[in-house]
Amino acid sequence: MNKLIYLDNAATTKPAPEVVQEMMPYLGENFGNPSAFYSFAGKAAQAVDVARKSIADTIGAKTEEIYFTAGGSESDNWALVATAEAMENKGKHIITSTIEHHAILHTCDYLKKRGFEITYVGVDEDGVVKLDELKAAIRPDTILISIMAANNEIGTIQPLKEIGAIAKENKILFHTDAVQAFGHIPLSVDEMNIDLLSASGHKIHGPKGVGILYIRRGVKIGAFMHGGAQERRRRAGTHNVPGIVGMGKAAGLAVRDMAQVSEKVSSLRDYLIEKVMAEIPYTKLNGHKTNRLPNNANFSFSFIEGESLLIMLDQAGICGSSGSACTSGSLDPSHVLMAIGLPHEIAHGSLRLSLSEENTREELDYVVETLKGIVKRLRDMSPLYEDFVKKQK
Ligand SMILES: *Cc1c(COP(=O)(O)O)cnc(C)c1O
């Protein structure tokens, strides 16, 4: 078995060859420290500027509003913790959603211990944040709304423009974790009234360990990493030049090819969804039917365990991801699937397949055939399924 079908692009993506090529000189001969004075380091400094511009253009920002970090998690931590600290004289209330990534949710847990109050706005059955609940949650002491741009598990895209308008109307800062959306769907910080935005290199065919936080000019937020004067004194640490160059290149490619890639990938996604739904009974598609990331499909198969499914898919050379959080040592099903109202037993039988433009229909045919067989085998071993079948007769 040497087949490898990679369908876990929401977890990480394969760096594009152009990205790797662009990075290479900065892993080697152009090793200068961009903060250094002499002209040899100028190449590295220039490369960082080029990357910053390319990333700023992706979201309609100014170059000086882009701050390099070590990834999406750091950007999320920075946005929340440093805003909370900068604004605590105004208030200690933050609004977020029930379906955020753990980089947001666990940072909120940390802030709770530091005396902040968090309101978690719910979502409907498609995973769309309830705007009436969001409006009702706003208080005079609310300092920040943090709602993700698109969900990493079920792919649902949030109404960012509406959320941004609500935040602006109430003079509250708006942060969005756009790690899944950046470079995949159009984003505009001005049209959407976004004050802070997190993005990551490795979700857009760039390198791991590099990300950005967009900070709108004028927003009061302190440093998160203390040390040198890099990044306008807001994020210390010698620049990860190869990583930054790679993310800049990846962002440029993503914008250049967005329309074409999005059309191709969403048509593959729809092909996969239609086939799975047609061929495997007792299956539910999770997430919004149309308003979802081009690359995301998420299914729940009744009467089976997601972990067994993943193991068997792996044996067939297929990389997918389970909705449940077993990898993190917990037996609880995914908080996202619970938030959209799935019963425990259904949420446990979930599978996320996230595509890229490298996938083909032939691969997907093989995946559906394999999946069909595995689901059948697992159901045949399930006492729950046996009961269900008996009742049907
Ligand atoms: C992957 C991801 C992150 C974390 O980004 P890293 O660069 O891996 O730290 C945060 N939020 C969302 C929505 C993600 O998908």
Side-chain angles (χ1 to χ4, degrees):
M1 186 220 63
N2 39 27
K3 216 185 196 79
L4 180 83
I5 299 181
Y6 188 74
L7 291 171
D8 202 15
N9 287 279
T12 198
T13 57
K14 179 179 167 185
E18 297 97 315
V19 166
V20 176
Q21 198 187 348
E22 196 88 359
M23 289 170 70
M24 285 313 276
Y26 300 95
L27 288 163
E29 72 258 32
N30 293 341
F31 61 86
N33 185 330
S35 308
F37 169 76
Y38 38 81
S39 46
F40 163 63
K43 278 204 190 89
Q46 252 169 25
V48 170
D49 288 347
V50 169
R52 201 186 302 278
K53 171 90 172 73
S54 154
I55 290 164
D57 288 349
T58 310
I59 54 174
K62 301 177 191 74
T63 49
E64 68 270 22
E65 295 173 319
I66 302 297
Y67 294 82
F68 286 110
T69 66
S73 299
E74 183 190 322
S75 302
D76 284 346
N77 275 259
W78 182 8
L80 264 56
V81 173
T83 306
E85 284 174 349
M87 304 288 288
E88 66 186 329
N89 290 335
K90 186 195 167 202
K92 297 188 105 178
H93 180 236
I94 293 170
I95 300 173
T96 186
S97 84
T98 49
I99 61 162
E100 298 296 311
H101 189 273
H102 285 129
I104 295 292
L105 292 178
H106 289 167
T107 305
C108 286
D109 290 344
Y110 167 77
L111 287 171
K112 262 193 263 180
K113 284 188 213 137
R114 304 269 317 272
F116 288 85
E117 257 184 277
I118 318 285
T119 300
Y120 300 90
V121 175
V123 296
D124 67 15
E125 59 190 12
D126 294 327
V128 181
V129 164
K130 291 178 177 161
L131 295 180
D132 49 347
E133 236 181 75
L134 170 64
K135 283 185 209 157
I138 293 173
R139 315 193 311 211
D141 61 340
T142 306
I143 51 173
L144 178 69
I145 295 173
S146 180
I147 307 273
M148 68 198 324
N151 185 264
N152 47 301
E153 289 188 35
I154 57 174
T156 300
I157 297 169
Q158 298 300 335
L160 292 186
K161 211 170 159 178
E162 284 83 349
I163 298 168
I166 294 169
K168 191 173 185 186
E169 214 176 274
N170 291 279
K171 298 193 171 62
I172 300 168
L173 290 177
F174 174 32
H175 167 253
T176 188
D177 173 346
V179 173
Q180 289 290 328
F182 178 83
H184 291 275
I185 57 170
L187 292 172
S188 160
V189 288
D190 284 342
E191 269 172 41
M192 296 167 168
N193 281 309
I194 295 165
D195 296 303
L196 299 148
L197 176 147
S198 307
S200 177
H202 74 105
K203 304 283 174 84
I204 58 163
H205 302 282
K208 294 166 183 59
V210 61
I212 57 112
L213 181 64
Y214 157 80
I215 306 176
R216 180 178 292 281
R217 192 195 296 190
V219 165
K220 260 177 115 188
I221 168 176
F224 182 63
M225 198 72 93
H226 305 278
Q230 291 91 355
E231 300 297 279
R232 304 161 72 81
R233 296 185 183 280
R234 276 175 152 168
R235 202 285 186 180
T238 302
H239 290 100
N240 167 9
V241 180
I244 289 169
V245 166
M247 182 172 177
K249 183 69 184 177
L253 294 174
V255 170
R256 190 194 71 191
D257 301 337
M258 191 181 290
Q260 174 203 331
V261 168
S262 154
E263 191 186 312
K264 184 178 172 200
V265 176
S266 52
S267 123
L268 285 170
R269 172 201 66 193
D270 293 342
Y271 180 76
L272 173 69
I273 290 175
E274 270 164 39
K275 228 172 149 152
V276 167
M277 298 305 287
E279 301 208 7
I280 308 179
Y282 313 117
T283 299
K284 182 184 177 301
L285 173 71
N286 298 314
H288 198 283
K289 283 210 167 49
T290 50
N291 212 4
R292 71 190 299 140
L293 289 171
N295 68 3
N296 175 288
N298 186 307
F299 306 100
S300 290
F301 305 102
S302 298
F303 317 111
I304 67 164
E305 283 289 337
E307 296 74 60
S308 324
L309 181 63
L310 281 185
I311 294 167
M312 291 164 86
L313 282 173
D314 183 32
Q315 285 163 353
I318 300 166
C319 309
S321 160
S322 134
S324 75
C326 286
T327 42
S328 60
S330 146
L331 280 176
D332 296 336
S334 137
H335 65 284
V336 176
L337 298 178
M338 300 311 286
I340 60 170
L342 291 195
H344 265 257
E345 67 276 14
I346 307 276
H348 266 304
S350 297
L351 174 70
R352 176 186 73 190
L353 298 175
S354 44
L355 294 77
S356 81
E357 60 166 335
E358 285 199 1
N359 294 121
T360 61
R361 286 191 179 215
E362 291 68 46
E363 284 184 340
L364 298 180
D365 289 340
Y366 167 76
V367 169
V368 177
E369 259 327 285
T370 310
L371 197 53
K372 198 172 156 183
I374 293 173
V375 168
K376 184 174 183 318
R377 265 163 71 198
L378 289 173
R379 282 181 179 162
D380 286 346
M381 299 188 292
S382 153
L384 285 173
Y385 186 60
E386 200 181 333
D387 280 355
F388 172 81
V389 173
K390 267 189 209 142
K391 276 189 204 132
Q392 299 286 299
K393 282 181 185 155

